[in-house]
Structure formats: structure tokens, C-alpha cells
Amino acid sequence: MNAAVHISYGPPDVVQIAEVDKPTAGDNQLLVKVHATTVNRTDSGLRAAKPFINRFFTGLRRPRVTILGNEFAGAVEAVGRGVRSFQVGDRVFGYNGTRFGAHAEYLAVPEDGSLATMPANLTYEEAAPSTEGSHYALAMIRKAKLRSGQDVLVYGATGAIGSAAVQLLKHLGAEVTAVCDSEHVELVRGLGADRVIDYTAEDFTKDTQTYDVVLDAVGKSSFGRCKRLLKPRGIYLSSDLGPLSQNPILALITPLHRGKKVLFPIPRDNQEMARYFKGLMESGAFKPVIDRRYRLDQIVEAYRYVETGQKIGNVVINVEPST
Ligand SMILES: NC(=O)c1ccc[n+]([C@@H]2O[C@H](COP(=O)([O-])OP(=O)(O)OC[C@H]3O[C@@H](n4cnc5c(N)ncnc54)[C@H](OP(=O)(O)O)[C@@H]3O)[C@@H](O)[C@H]2O)c1
């Protein structure tokens, strides 16, 4: 089968389309014919080994995982022994967060992994970008125990995490103020934001409103800069480690007293998460934002675009034409 393979760390062009062995469905596994996948910031960070510390987990000199891609949508082509809940022909989507391998024509995934059958109303390319940025957003929202009616500011509302966060928050009934650039104000309103701050025209940290939660989905602010935006017991969440990796440390210290605090959840993925997104997509409450689409043989270009840091939502790779 064809796959996008990288055998060394480096810039996008270390990735090449190569012929590799087709995986098989082991016991309790499904073999999925991949129709669509994504290139996201995690793929980029692992391929480039940036930050360097990634290498302690992914291989010091060379990458242990040579086929990246953690989101997928496709059709079950074969099932291994013991598989009960999926069958050949099922259209499935999901997240293969630790094993990767979706930048390929076939992918083997465990039956009890983070996957679900696809909503009937979605194409493969619509379903593929529904589990990565969105599960980071969901982890933050759940950690903050957000309730209906709470005021939330989302900084970086046009990214994969931010565009999912705005939709998930609206579904929960939060009052959402979203921060993005002037070009995308209408897009973000369309995601459900009640109020939009154009960061090219004003500094959102000087906003006069206060919030129960500030969610930095682009990792470019800090607790110190956002503290004045928080209500007395408000929560600051960020998708990034923050300046000098302070966010995980602040998440240990700040909850020790009753004031404003930082939370830094470790995102978890499981089948409940995939089913949750399936339900939201079926009902129309969540629709992943797709920016650009590429074919598998254009994946180097897709990486270059993702690494501009300016993609809007998600970048999809069509491995097979979507149906
Ligand atoms: N916690 C984790 O495990 C984890 C996992 C994945 C990613 N991350 C981190 O989370 C961050 C977001 O990830 P992502 O995948 O959502 O990123 P992304 O999709 O690449 O986000 C890019 C978006 O952010 C917007 N943006 C850039 N600079 C901005 C600024 N100063 N103010 C407001 N918006 C800005 C861009 O729009 P404009 O430039 O057009 O405004 C673009 O739409 C990244 O820093 C990534 O490293 C963390």
C-alpha cells in the first residue's frame, strides 16, 4: 500500500510517499481502508522533533513511528478474531493518538480504540477532522466543569482547537466571546460566538468584561496577562505549556487557594469521546471547520501550510475520493 513515510526528523520534505506492507487486522483489531485523514500540529511537531524533548518519547536519533496521522475516517475492510462491535463495510472515524499510521491507505486499529461508526449524514472528509483539536478542546472544557450560562473567552477561535471549543461551549450553553483576526469574524460568529473581538483592532486582555473561564486555544497568552479578565474564582486554560513551561506548574500551585487558578488537563481519548462527537455531528451541534484539502501525494504541501500557524480549523488529506 502507499503511505507517507518519514525515516528521519526534519522539515516537511523528509516525508515521502512509499510502498509499504499493508497492515493486517490482529485479534480484536479492525483493518480500515482510510478515505480521509488530517495533517495537524501534532503530526508537524513529531515529524520535526520540535520541541526537542519530543525525541525522548518518539526516538532519540530516528522516529520510531514512521507513518504519522492520528485522525481517520474510512471503511472497515476486515476484522480480526474476537471483534464483536464492528463489521466489514462499516464506515468509521476516530483518533489513533498514540499509534498514528493514518497517513496511509490502510490502518489497523483496536476495536476498543477511540472510534465510532460515522454519522450517516457525513462524508469521510467531513468526519476525519473531528477528533484531534476537538478532543483537546473537550478535555479543557470538561476539566473546568463548565456550566450553562457561564461566560467564556476563547483566544485563537479559528484554530483546530479554538473552532471546536467555540462550538462545544455553545452546545453546553456558555456565553462565548471569541478572539480572532478581522478576516474571520463572520466565520466565528457562524460557529456560535455571541461576541467577537478582532485581535488586529484591539487587545483582548484590555477587555472590560470578566469571565468564568479564559481558554487560550492558540497558546499565545499567559495566566499573568489574562488574570485581570477572570472573575474572582475564574479559571485560565491553555493548549500550550506557556512561557517557560509555566502552565503545568501553575496548575499545581494555583488550585491550592480559592482565587483565580490555572488548570492544565491531560487530554484522554476513548470510545466515549468518539461517540460524543458522533452525536454532536449527527445533531448538527458540531461541524469541524475544514480549511484546505490535499491528496496523499500532496502531503508535503499540506505540512508546509499547517506550519504557517495560520490554518483555519483543519487540513484534510483525501486518501481516497470522498463518497
Ligand atoms: N495541549 C496539547 O497537547 C496540544 C496538542 C495540539 C496542539 N497544541 C497547541 O495548541 C495550539 C493550537 O493548536 P491548533 O491545532 O488549534 O492550532 P492551529 O489550528 O494551527 O491554529 C492556528 C490558528 O490560530 C490563529 N492565530 C494565530 N495567531 C493568533 C493570535 N495571536 N491570536 C489569535 N489567533 C491566532 C490563526 O489565525 P490567524 O493567524 O489568521 O489569526 C489560525 O487560525 C498550538 O500552539 C499547538 O502547539 C497543544
Side-chain angles (χ1 to χ4, degrees):
M1 67 164 186
N2 281 328
V5 179
H6 73 299
I7 53 171
S8 58
Y9 295 117
D13 44 24
V14 296
V15 180
Q16 292 186 338
I17 302 299
E19 179 85 21
V20 300
D21 291 341
K22 181 178 168 182
T24 53
D27 290 354
N28 305 111
Q29 285 190 335
L30 318 174
L31 179 67
V32 177
K33 181 169 174 51
V34 179
H35 284 251
T37 177
T38 58
V39 170
N40 53 49
R41 298 284 291 256
T42 304
D43 297 317
S44 291
L46 294 189
R47 189 217 65 235
K50 283 186 185 163
F52 188 87
I53 195 173
N54 278 355
R55 291 180 185 237
F56 291 101
F57 307 100
T58 60
L60 262 186
R61 289 164 56 102
R62 291 180 188 287
R64 276 194 291 269
V65 171
T66 53
I67 304 174
L68 292 167
N70 50 24
E71 290 180 298
F72 64 90
V76 176
E77 167 134 329
V79 295
R81 248 190 339 191
V83 170
R84 301 260 175 276
S85 39
F86 294 93
Q87 45 191 327
V88 171
D90 280 352
R91 294 173 357 122
V92 293
F93 74 101
Y95 181 67
N96 208 28
T98 48
R99 298 156 185 241
F100 295 84
H103 292 166
E105 290 177 309
Y106 293 90
L107 170 73
V109 288
E111 177 189 22
D112 61 357
S114 302
L115 78 162
T117 53
M118 269 173 48
N121 55 338
L122 259 62
T123 62
Y124 291 117
E125 78 170 23
E126 287 170 326
S130 63
T131 51
E132 206 254 357
S134 50
H135 100 280
Y136 290 122
L138 184 64
M140 290 194 269
I141 290 167
R142 285 184 169 169
K143 183 77 177 177
K145 298 192 170 75
L146 260 145
R147 297 183 309 278
S148 176
Q150 287 193 305
D151 295 308
V152 184
L153 179 137
V154 179
Y155 178 43
T158 49
I161 300 175
S163 59
V166 172
Q167 296 180 72
L168 300 181
L169 287 162
K170 283 315 296 174
H171 175 67
L172 294 174
E175 283 294 307
V176 178
T177 297
V179 183
C180 67
D181 67 356
S182 40
E183 219 183 308
H184 300 108
V185 170
E186 284 316 310
L187 170 92
V188 170
R189 273 196 219 286
L191 299 178
D194 300 283
R195 190 174 150 235
V196 182
I197 299 178
D198 171 2
Y199 77 81
T200 63
E202 55 182 303
D203 178 353
F204 77 96
T205 63
K206 302 217 161 59
D207 192 20
T208 49
Q209 188 180 326
T210 54
Y211 298 90
D212 297 289
V213 173
V214 170
L215 192 163
D216 178 353
V218 76
K220 291 194 174 174
S221 72
S222 66
F223 180 49
R225 281 187 65 214
C226 294
K227 212 168 171 178
R228 57 171 299 283
L229 294 172
L230 293 172
K231 293 180 184 177
R233 297 186 68 184
I235 295 169
Y236 174 80
L237 298 155
S238 175
S239 62
D240 243 52
L241 296 171
L244 302 171
S245 300
Q246 61 179 242
N247 288 333
I249 300 161
L250 290 170
L252 292 174
I253 301 165
T254 53
L256 297 177
H257 48 78
R258 289 168 61 88
K260 302 174 185 185
K261 64 183 172 197
V262 177
L263 297 180
F264 196 75
I266 308 289
R268 286 182 213 293
D269 61 279
N270 54 32
Q271 213 154 83
E272 180 277 326
M273 174 276 282
R275 289 203 199 108
Y276 180 74
F277 290 131
K278 175 182 175 175
L280 292 189
M281 291 192 289
E282 257 166 357
S283 70
F286 172 51
K287 185 170 186 205
V289 174
I290 299 177
D291 182 346
R292 294 192 184 178
R293 298 158 176 86
Y294 295 88
R295 297 188 312 267
L296 185 63
D297 62 1
Q298 297 172 312
I299 197 163
V300 171
E301 267 176 69
Y303 269 113
R304 288 199 185 108
Y305 182 56
V306 169
E307 284 158 42
T308 62
Q310 295 201 306
K311 72 176 163 68
I312 303 304
N314 302 278
V315 166
V316 170
I317 302 293
N318 280 312
V319 180
E320 283 284 313
S322 199
T323 52

